[in-house]
Structure formats: C-alpha cells, structure tokens
Amino acid sequence: MASRFGLSLQLFILFIFGDLVGTDSLDGLHYTSPDYYPSPNGGWVLDWTSAYEKAQSIVETMTLAEKINLTTGTGYFMGPCVGNTGSALRVGIPSLCLQDGPLGIRATDHNTAFPAGITVGATFDKALMYTRGVALGEEARGKGINVLLGPTVGPLGRKPRGGRNWEGFGADPTLQAIGGALTIEGMQSTGAIATLKHYIGNEQEMYRMNNPLQQAYSSNIDDRTLHEIYLWPFAEGIRAGVGSVMTAYNDVNGSACSQNSKLINGILKDELEFQGFVVSDWLAQIGGVSSALAGLDMAMPGDGAIPLVGSSYWGSELSTSILNGTVPVDRLNDMVTRIVATWYKMGQDKDYPLPNFSANTQDRTGALYPGALFSPTGVVNQYVDVQADHQGIAHAIARDAITLLKNTDSVLPLSRNASLKIFGTDAGTNSNGINSCSDKGCNDGVLTMGWGSGSANLPYLVAPHDAIARVCPSAEFHITDSFPSNVKANSRDIAIVFISADSGENTITVEGNHGDRDVAGLSAWHNGDDLVIATAKIFPTVVVVIHAVGPVILENWIDLPSVKAVLFAHLPGQEAGDSLTDILFGDFSPSGHMPYTIPRSESDYPSSVGLLSQPIFQIQDFHKERLYIDYRYFLHANITPRYPFGHGLSYTTFTISEPIFSVVAALSEYPPSRPTKGPTPTYATTIPPVSEVAWPTNLTRVWRYLYPYLDNPAAATSKAPYPYPTGYSTTPQPAPRAGGNEGGNPSLWDVIFTVKVKVTNTGSRPGREVAQLYVELPESVLGVDIPALQLRQFEKTDILSPGENEILTLSLNRKDLSIWDVVVQDWKAPVDGQGVKLWLGGSLTDLRIVCDVGNRVCNGV
Ligand SMILES: *[C@@H]1O[C@H](CO)[C@@H](O)[C@H](O)[C@H]1NC(C)=O
Ligand SMILES: *[C@@H]1O[C@H](CO)[C@@H](O)[C@H](O)[C@H]1NC(C)=O
Ligand SMILES: *[C@@H]1O[C@H](CO)[C@@H](O)[C@H](O)[C@H]1NC(C)=O
Ligand SMILES: *[C@@H]1O[C@H](CO)[C@@H](O)[C@H](O)[C@H]1NC(C)=O
Ligand SMILES: *[C@@H]1O[C@H](CO)[C@@H](O)[C@H](O)[C@H]1NC(C)=O
Ligand SMILES: *[C@@H]1O[C@H](CO)[C@@H](O)[C@H](O)[C@H]1NC(C)=O
C-alpha cells in the first residue's frame, strides 16, 4: 500500500487527457481490456459452503448501512490499523483491521522482522516457507489483525531495477507460486486472512499511481504471457484458499486494476473462481460505481480522490448508488457476503482478538482517529509481545538462504582463529538506531530489508559486526565504505568486504532512488565496487558478502585473483549476523540458491524490462519480451549470465542419481470438462428503505470519518438512467471452461508424472541439496514458441552427513506441462507427454539428469 497522498488534481487531468492516453498497438495486438459483467457471485465452491451459509444467515438480516460499513474503510488514519472497515456490531462483526505486511507486522513493536520474501525464495525450502507463514499469521492474530497484507507475488521480478521485487520470492512463476501458496496456507492456519497482492502487472514503482500530471502507467500484457507468467502465482494462491486479493495501482491494457472488469470479474472471480474478497491497494480506487461493477469488494483506506477530507468513492456514495438503483443490490450483497464468509472461513467469529496496537504511534495513549485532527483519545498500544519462538524460524531462513556464488580454493569456511579484517558499513548497524528511518527508508548499516510498506520494525538486530566479533574476537573492523589508507595486510589476513543494494516503495526516495533503483542501477551502493577493488589490491584473500534486493553487477571485481569467495546473503531481517557466521565459520554449509539471474551486464536484459519514465501522458509499458523474463530470456537469447538462476554452491558435494520416472495419470490435450457451477446465496433484490442509511440520532460523529449515512437519503432514490459501460450486463456469463474450482479447473492439479531421485552427500561436510526440476515442452507439438526450460518443481533435502542419502520425489501436475491456449482459452498439454523432457539438477547450468518422457526413461546428462 501507499502512505502518502497528493493527487488532488488527478481527476481534472484525467478528464483533460483521458482521450489521448488510451491504448496503443504492437505486433498487431490491440491492448484494450474487454468488458466483463456482471461480477460473479461467490459461494458455490465446496470448500467454502459452510462459511457462505453462515455469512448468508447474517447478511440477509443486515441493513444497508451495516453492509456499506463492511465494504468501505473508515478513512486514512481513522483507526488503529493502516486500514479499518466500519463495523456491523448488531450482528457481531467488528471493524476489520487490515495491516501490512509480507515480512512482519509493520509499524509496531515486539514483532519479528523475518527475512524478506526474496530470501525465503532463495532457501528453496518448502517447510520454511510454510513455517514462516504460520509465524506471520500468529503475530497478526496476536496483535488483533484480521487481514494481513501479504504475501506479495507481484511484482514478479520482470524488471531487475523494480523497487519491490524483494517482497516476493523470485523471478520465476513457479518459485513465486510455491512461496506464495505455502505462506498463505501457513498464515491462514492461524485464523488470520492472507492478502495476495498486487493484482497485477505492478512491475515498476515509479508512475504506478495517478498523479496530477498523468494517469498511472499501463502494463500492456498479452493473454498468454499473463496466464503463464504473472497470473500463475495468483492462481496457485487462490487454489491455496487465500481470503483476499489486493488490486494494483497501475492499469492493465489501459484500464485501472481496481476497476478492470476483465481482470476482476472475468479472470479472478470467474476463471480462477476466487471466493474471498477483492480489496483495493491504498488510494488505488479511482471510481465508485465503476469499481463496484467491475468486482471490487472493499475500498481501502476508504478515501476518495482527495484523501483525509472525509470523502469517499464508496461509503455514503455507495449507499446512494444502491438507493438510486445504479449498483444492483445483488452486487452489494455479494461484496458483503464475500467479506463475511472469509471472516467465518478463517474462524474469526471465535475468540479473535481486537487490535491492541496502533500503526499511528508508539505511545501508550493517543488519538483513536488521528486523521480526524480532533479525536477522542485512549490507550492505543498494549505492546503485546507476539514473537513467541519465531526467532529460530527467522534465523533458519536467513541462514539457509545464504547463497555461495564462488569459493575458490575452498577459502570458506573460515577457521575461528583466522586473521580477519572486515570492511564496509553493511557489516555494522545504523548508528542512529535500528528503526530510526521510518519504514526503513535509508540504507545505513547492514541491509536487512528493503523500504516501504513491506518493511517492519526490527525488535533487535544482530549485525554481522557483532556476530563475527563474538566468534572471532581478534577480528579487526573498519565500518566504513571508503578503504582506510592506514590498513596493512599480511599474507595470512583474510578480508571480508560487505556491500549492499537497496530498493523499496515509491513513497520514499532513498539516496535519489524513487523506490526502483533508478539512480543506483544494478551497482552496489556506497561505492561498494571501489571498496572491494581497493581491498583486493592489498589483501591476498577477499571474501565479499552482499546484502541485496535483487541482481547486482559483480563484473568490476568478480574475476580479481584475490576475490576468492562471494556470499549472497539477500535480505536477512533481524538475524543478519548469526545466520551469516553460521555459514562463514562452517557450522552449516550454505544451501541457498539464486532466485533470479545475476547477469554480466544490465544490457544483457531485453530493453523492454528497463524502467520507464516520462513526465506527462500515460506510460505504455508493453511487455514486448512476453514470456522471456529473467532466465527464460537469457536462454532464449543465448546469453551466458555471470550466475544463472538456481545457482548456489556448498561446502560439500552431492550426486543426484538413480532416477525413477513414473506415470501417475494419462495426459489428454485439454483437461476434462470442468465441474458445473453450483448455486450461490440468494437474497431479496429489492432496494432497501432509505431509512436504513439515515443518520442515527444519537451518534457522536467523528469529523472526516467515513460513514455509510446520508443527510437526505430520500433524495438519492432518483431513477435516472445510468450510462453503464458498453459491455454491461446483469445476465451471468457462461462459466469459463478453464474454471471449475479455486485456481481453475481442478484437474490442472492432477499429478501426471513423478521423478524420484537419490541425493547423496559425496563430500566431507554435512549439507543440504536442492533438486530443481525444469520442464522442456515441445514447440512442435504445442504449436507455439515456448521458453527452453521452465522451473516447475523443487525439493530440498534435510541436512545430509557425508555419505548419507535421501530420496526426493518431485511431482508434476497437468498445469506444469501445459501452455495457455489463447484461442481455446484453456490449458493445452502434449498428449501423454509426447516430446517432453524433464531436466533435474542443482541449477540451470548444473543439470544432471534428463528424462525423455515419451520413452519413459531418465539418464544422467
Ligand atoms: C490485453 O490486451 C492483449 C492484446 O490484445 C490481450 O491479449 C489480453 O487478453 C488483454 N488483457 C486484459 C486483461 O484485458
Ligand atoms: C458503521 O461503522 C461505524 C464504525 O465502526 C459505527 O460507528 C457504526 O455504528 C456502524 N453502523 C452500523 C449501522 O452498524
Ligand atoms: C447513483 O449514485 C451514484 C453515487 O452517487 C452516482 O455516481 C450515479 O451517477 C447515480 N446514478 C444515477 C442514475 O443518478
Ligand atoms: C490484544 O492481544 C492480546 C493477546 O493476543 C489479547 O489477549 C487481548 O485481548 C487483545 N486486546 C484486545 C483489546 O482485544
Ligand atoms: C589456526 O589454528 C590451527 C590449528 O588449530 C593452525 O593450524 C592454524 O595455523 C591457525 N591459523 C591461524 C590464522 O592462526
Ligand atoms: C442509539 O440508538 C439506537 C436506537 O435507538 C440504540 O439501539 C443504540 O444502542 C443507541 N446507541 C448509543 C451509542 O446510544
């Protein structure tokens, strides 16, 4: 979400330029978003039946004001959380608290600051992905948060300079999907509602929102690319039962995500059969009737075009549009039913705590509604400690994500009596205090996370400096980014140089970077390259440790003879130091793998994934590279990166052997017919009496607070015709053939093939190995171009002692073997796997087994 405002002129400008910024064409494709109406009602999917029954039984008793209350935020800074809905206390529903974020509870205390999503992705460890989700859910619940605003699977990582890629799990749909789905399952096992975001195409921070001079950029994405790349993790998250989905700020095909009927009604709610509720990103809503008809269910934080003045696109305006017949009562009932059903589905009707913290202040007492200026006050922070034993989870993830890129002469691990000289401020701590920069809007001391709403306060920080000093008391520290002139090296010295690269949300500019790395590019910050080079000139042995949000170009020093080892430690959160010393000194072997490609040069990427910048008129961001992002592009263009996706060394060695290929089910060209759609709750559709939204006589009004009530409700009942969008209809669309259950046709998840492999530790130290499974699909059979290799599954071993082995089973479902057929609008597979090859190994360039599916046989490479 965003937390700043300044779009007062937006409507004016949109009006003036509206006609000039529409769609454009490329390769014969016209990027427009078709109308898709009406919004499909939720409630027919089996898994949700009982929750919808409970919801229906109370929604049918609710008044118009109560219903509107649950759909609309009470306004910016109008309650304890970053977002708060109105309540319907008469029927037992409190104000719902929505709070960031994906790596920890934002803007509070006594919470855990977990490693960021990108770090979790680098573990390739499904158990840790799930466990972190459980811990995040427990912390949300402990603070009284109903809806936790994570995980992030969009941005997916298309743009290497993109500001928020680090919140997600890596630049691959499968890695993103498995990370997201397991996080959701974990979070929701605790009763907290997870929010999958940002739907969709939000691959750049700059110009993501409407501003006084221009409309938010438009991500122009063709149908197949949307399905096979960007939508993939959303589909898996919906299949995992996610309770809420957040729309993105940007447009797709020239239509804002918060009111794009094709995206919400068509793809999310019909094709993917999403049963929960759709919430806007903060201030992303740009129209009231339009967003309601397009399928938005909850407006956050509730404010209209000009925040903080007590106006809303919904709230009392939604009351009006129900009374005047423009928004069908049926649509409002579905919005509310979805919200209440989700609340029941997670069990929030049973002993769920109310918020006991304030995202607005750290003081014990304060304004209950700071946005009101004149607000009642009270106890707002109870400082509830929700950390439990989550430190261990944070530590394990930070450690198992550390990725060993290079280790010449086995210089790592270090011995505890090594003569160490440490350089770089990234080894230290922020001297102004670990939480001194709001939302981590600075890069000072070890980089533990990026900045913006996806950050959290650190409860404590073990910096690398502290952890190394504890293990190796003789280590000498130079916590500076310019190489000190007085340092002398002797031949036994080992220098460790810490460098970093940061990014974040567009609301904060850090060292000139507007969220995206627009100024820093893919270089290390603070002249990190110079520090490495200066150190490497003097010291015979240099170890480089990198904390980074995404790809960093290493070419200025990676081949220097004294640069012997490089550890990529991603964004470790509060456990930065001890997780690193675990690896540096060999208590554990590194087992992280790169969740994206490290190129040799930024120019190795397709030019279409660069940042776009333009002062006026809408930016048209054509996804010209289509399916070919990150490693898919490098393979396609035959460019050798510095380190491929999936790369990660260990202190030991492994073999992957004795593959056993099994056919579990037959594979037809298209999935069997989808299940037919069942009934959804029905309600009376008569327009409610105007008295239901009249101001209660005894209400103590809070200034600027968003209420559902109208001064003169009777005046709202005019029946003038409304200029609906061209494709508007109230007759339900035929059920899409690709739908059928949460995530799509359930047979897409039928397991078709499995491969069992034996992973053996053949080295001399304990360690863990990841088996990555890449699918090669036959272009000739499927009749379209297809990326050469695509990650579709992975499994990680436990810690194996030298000589020990473990059998891993990797399974592939129908969808893993399919492409999106844009004509048939369904997933198409090569019959029985004809022409399919499966590649298994420790990275994209370390493929050790190939299975020829047609001949049912696997061999060593
Ligand atoms: C966007 O336009 C492309 C090109 O016409 C089309 O393939 C795709 O389905 C459209 N997507 C949406 C969400 O409207
Ligand atoms: C709507 O929500 C507000 C804020 O929680 C509450 O004061 C008001 O009573 C609610 N209205 C109804 C009809 O429940
Ligand atoms: C009904 O009310 C909504 C909200 O104020 C408004 O946008 C819409 O134009 C109204 N419809 C008619 C037919 O006046
Ligand atoms: C705050 O959280 C604690 C622990 O989760 C809970 O016992 C308490 O009831 C909550 N406070 C409120 C006001 O609900
Ligand atoms: C560390 O100790 C080992 C033996 O315990 C010794 O062989 C080695 O030379 C020592 N290294 C340094 C840098 O003192
Ligand atoms: C306001 O009046 C209604 C209806 O008379 C009553 O149910 C409610 O409890 C009153 N609320 C307050 C805060 O006095």
Side-chain angles (χ1 to χ4, degrees):
M1 63 147 272
S3 60
R4 299 295 181 275
F5 14 90
L7 36 153
S8 41
L9 286 173
Q10 126 200 359
L11 288 183
F12 170 69
I13 298 291
L14 282 188
F15 179 71
I16 294 182
F17 294 134
D19 285 332
L20 302 178
V21 295
T23 58
D24 207 335
S25 61
L26 172 91
D27 299 339
L29 287 178
H30 209 66
Y31 290 86
T32 50
S33 234
D35 290 312
Y36 196 105
Y37 300 100
S39 193
N41 289 348
W44 69 274
V45 164
L46 210 58
D47 226 28
W48 286 71
T49 307
S50 121
Y52 267 86
E53 277 167 9
K54 290 178 194 164
Q56 180 175 13
S57 71
I58 70 160
V59 173
E60 63 196 2
T61 73
M62 284 167 74
T63 64
L64 180 55
E66 287 165 340
K67 290 177 185 173
I68 301 289
N69 252 5
L70 296 186
T71 65
T72 309
T74 57
Y76 231 128
F77 308 118
M78 289 295 191
C81 307
V82 296
N84 311 272
T85 66
S87 59
L89 293 178
R90 188 184 60 86
V91 294
I93 316 267
S95 266
L96 301 179
C97 160
L98 292 84
Q99 181 69 18
D100 298 294
L103 65 65
I105 313 301
R106 177 187 178 202
T108 185
D109 51 85
H110 300 88
N111 57 285
T112 305
F114 289 95
I118 201 71
T119 315
V120 180
T123 67
F124 281 75
D125 184 323
K126 293 179 179 176
L128 286 176
M129 290 171 175
Y130 176 79
T131 312
R132 173 173 169 277
V134 174
L136 282 164
E138 285 171 352
E139 298 203 5
R141 185 183 183 121
K143 293 279 185 189
I145 295 161
N146 301 88
V147 183
L148 183 56
L149 304 176
T152 303
V153 296
L156 188 106
R158 170 184 179 233
K159 300 197 176 197
R161 291 190 184 208
R164 296 179 77 178
N165 299 345
W166 56 273
E167 292 185 29
F169 303 92
D172 172 85
T174 295
L175 183 53
Q176 209 52 268
I178 292 175
L182 290 169
T183 302
I184 289 163
E185 283 170 21
M187 282 180 179
Q188 295 192 160
S189 72
T190 69
I193 298 168
T195 305
L196 195 54
K197 64 186 190 179
H198 308 83
Y199 184 68
I200 199 169
N202 192 172
E203 299 289 327
Q204 161 173 327
E205 280 300 288
M206 293 154 67
Y207 306 99
R208 66 184 180 159
M209 288 178 90
N210 292 337
N211 73 50
L213 291 180
Q214 68 196 142
Q215 200 173 339
Y217 65 77
S218 176
S219 286
N220 300 327
I221 315 176
D222 68 85
D223 191 32
R224 184 169 163 223
T225 301
L226 186 81
H227 277 83
E228 293 185 26
I229 304 288
Y230 301 98
L231 192 65
W232 190 284
F234 284 94
E236 295 284 334
I238 290 165
R239 172 156 166 97
V242 74
S244 110
V245 170
M246 184 193 288
T247 61
Y249 287 113
N250 52 283
D251 290 10
V252 166
N253 288 8
S255 169
C257 286
S258 61
Q259 53 179 35
N260 184 316
S261 63
K262 170 70 177 169
L263 282 177
I264 307 178
N265 291 340
I267 295 176
L268 196 61
K269 289 185 173 175
D270 233 357
E271 184 184 318
L272 301 184
E273 313 281 11
F274 174 57
Q275 301 293 302
F277 62 90
V278 178
V279 59
S280 69
D281 203 338
W282 268 236
L283 303 177
Q285 192 188 28
I286 59 167
V289 173
S290 49
S291 59
L293 300 181
L296 190 72
D297 302 307
M298 186 186 279
M300 277 293 152
D303 302 53
I306 306 170
L308 283 171
V309 297
S311 78
S312 178
Y313 288 114
W314 282 4
S316 57
E317 288 294 314
L318 190 54
S319 302
T320 302
S321 60
I322 294 293
L323 294 179
N324 72 15
T326 291
V327 172
V329 175
D330 183 52
R331 178 72 268 270
L332 177 66
N333 285 337
D334 176 59
M335 293 180 193
V336 180
T337 308
R338 284 172 176 273
I339 294 165
V340 177
T342 307
W343 184 75
Y344 277 119
K345 179 93 167 32
M346 308 302 157
Q348 294 194 357
D349 54 320
K350 297 186 201 83
D351 300 326
Y352 205 85
L354 294 171
N356 47 37
F357 76 104
S358 169
N360 309 310
T361 175
Q362 303 284 56
D363 298 340
R364 178 171 294 277
T365 58
L368 302 183
Y369 315 105
L373 299 188
F374 310 101
S375 161
T377 56
V379 172
V380 290
N381 276 307
Q382 296 177 32
Y383 308 110
V384 178
D385 189 338
V386 293
Q387 298 167 90
D389 58 357
H390 301 162
Q391 174 181 5
I393 300 165
H395 184 123
I397 295 169
R399 178 187 67 221
D400 286 1
I402 293 175
T403 309
L404 179 62
L405 296 181
K406 171 176 181 176
N407 195 17
T408 307
D409 304 335
S410 297
V411 59
L412 293 181
L414 305 170
S415 76
R416 290 179 135 71
N417 62 354
S419 169
L420 299 181
K421 302 234 163 70
I422 320 290
F423 300 91
T425 57
D426 182 62
T429 189
N430 184 337
S431 47
N432 298 316
I434 54 176
N435 295 313
S436 56
C437 301
S438 164
D439 286 336
K440 293 286 170 288
C442 62
N443 183 8
D444 194 345
V446 59
L447 183 68
T448 56
M449 61 188 81
W451 72 78
S453 62
S455 68
N457 285 330
L458 292 159
Y460 64 85
L461 174 63
V462 181
H465 168 281
D466 311 323
I468 293 171
R470 205 180 302 140
V471 176
C472 183
S474 67
E476 191 181 303
F477 292 90
H478 302 275
I479 304 296
T480 162
D481 291 323
S482 35
F483 191 75
S485 54
N486 57 348
V487 170
K488 301 273 178 297
N490 70 57
S491 62
R492 288 197 322 188
D493 281 347
I494 296 177
I496 310 181
V497 186
F498 284 80
I499 62 175
S500 71
D502 201 358
S503 74
E505 192 172 17
N506 185 234
T507 43
I508 305 177
T509 300
V510 178
E511 300 184 30
N513 294 278
H514 297 85
D516 304 311
R517 290 189 274 170
D518 55 325
V519 170
L522 303 188
S523 301
W525 285 36
H526 306 153
N527 302 314
D529 284 354
D530 294 347
L531 185 63
V532 176
I533 292 165
T535 312
K537 267 199 188 116
I538 297 185
F539 288 86
T541 304
V542 176
V543 175
V544 181
V545 176
I546 305 170
H547 291 107
V549 290
V552 177
I553 305 290
L554 314 174
E555 297 306 308
N556 286 338
W557 45 261
I558 188 73
D559 284 331
L560 295 177
S562 52
V563 175
K564 297 263 164 59
V566 179
L567 285 171
F568 214 95
H570 307 283
L571 300 173
Q574 67 193 32
E575 285 289 314
D578 291 330
S579 57
L580 183 68
T581 49
D582 281 350
I583 300 293
L584 273 179
F585 296 99
D587 299 317
F588 291 81
S589 288
S591 66
H593 290 258
M594 288 311 297
Y596 47 78
T597 302
I598 305 261
R600 290 176 188 269
S601 155
E602 192 175 4
S603 62
D604 287 348
Y605 292 101
S607 57
S608 55
V609 303
L611 297 176
L612 295 180
S613 174
Q614 153 188 319
I616 57 165
F617 304 127
Q618 185 176 39
I619 292 174
Q620 301 297 324
D621 190 351
F622 292 103
H623 288 224
K624 291 181 198 171
E625 74 293 341
R626 300 172 52 241
L627 308 161
Y628 301 95
I629 60 163
D630 201 79
Y631 69 85
R632 287 166 171 77
Y633 178 78
F634 283 78
L635 291 172
H636 189 60
N638 199 16
I639 295 170
T640 306
R642 171 54 68 171
Y643 295 112
F645 180 92
H647 176 70
L649 305 172
S650 170
Y651 297 155
T652 186
T653 52
F654 300 93
T655 55
I656 302 182
S657 62
E658 298 175 31
I660 301 175
F661 176 82
S662 306
V663 178
V664 180
L667 185 61
S668 52
E669 186 174 27
Y670 294 100
S673 306
R674 55 162 289 161
T676 43
K677 223 167 170 167
T680 56
T682 50
Y683 301 96
T685 53
T686 42
I687 292 176
V690 295
S691 59
E692 290 191 5
V693 287
W695 283 97
T697 47
N698 56 358
L699 182 82
T700 313
R701 289 166 71 160
V702 177
W703 190 45
R704 293 175 166 178
Y705 195 89
L706 300 176
Y707 293 100
Y709 309 115
L710 293 170
D711 291 333
N712 184 2
T717 59
S718 91
K719 280 290 193 324
Y722 184 80
Y724 289 107
T726 329
Y728 184 68
S729 159
T730 53
T731 311
Q733 302 270 342
R737 68 174 271 176
N741 204 331
E742 284 173 281
N745 188 329
S747 21
L748 292 172
W749 283 273
D750 290 347
V751 173
I752 306 294
F753 304 128
T754 61
V755 185
K756 275 197 174 79
V757 288
K758 183 172 169 184
V759 179
T760 309
N761 183 343
T762 52
S764 55
R765 288 176 164 272
R768 307 182 68 189
E769 175 66 311
V770 174
Q772 302 164 26
L773 198 170
Y774 295 87
V775 170
E776 180 184 340
L777 297 177
E779 296 188 335
S780 57
V781 176
L782 293 168
V784 287
D785 65 305
I786 303 171
L789 295 174
Q790 308 199 69
L791 182 76
R792 283 293 181 244
Q793 190 52 278
F794 58 84
E795 295 292 343
K796 192 168 189 173
T797 65
D798 290 332
I799 295 179
L800 300 179
S801 305
E804 204 181 346
N805 69 64
E806 184 176 334
I807 307 288
L808 297 178
T809 303
L810 296 101
S811 44
L812 293 173
N813 62 37
R814 170 183 282 279
K815 196 175 173 192
D816 293 327
L817 300 159
S818 301
I819 57 110
W820 176 249
D821 183 328
V822 297
V823 177
V824 177
Q825 290 288 294
D826 206 350
W827 294 94
K828 179 183 181 185
V831 175
D832 287 331
Q834 182 202 345
V836 174
K837 285 188 179 153
L838 310 179
W839 298 82
L840 272 106
S843 86
L844 260 181
T845 52
D846 178 26
L847 299 169
R848 299 186 224 165
I849 287 175
V850 58
C851 304
D852 174 349
V853 170
N855 291 314
R856 313 296 197 230
V857 60
C858 303
N859 288 301
V861 173

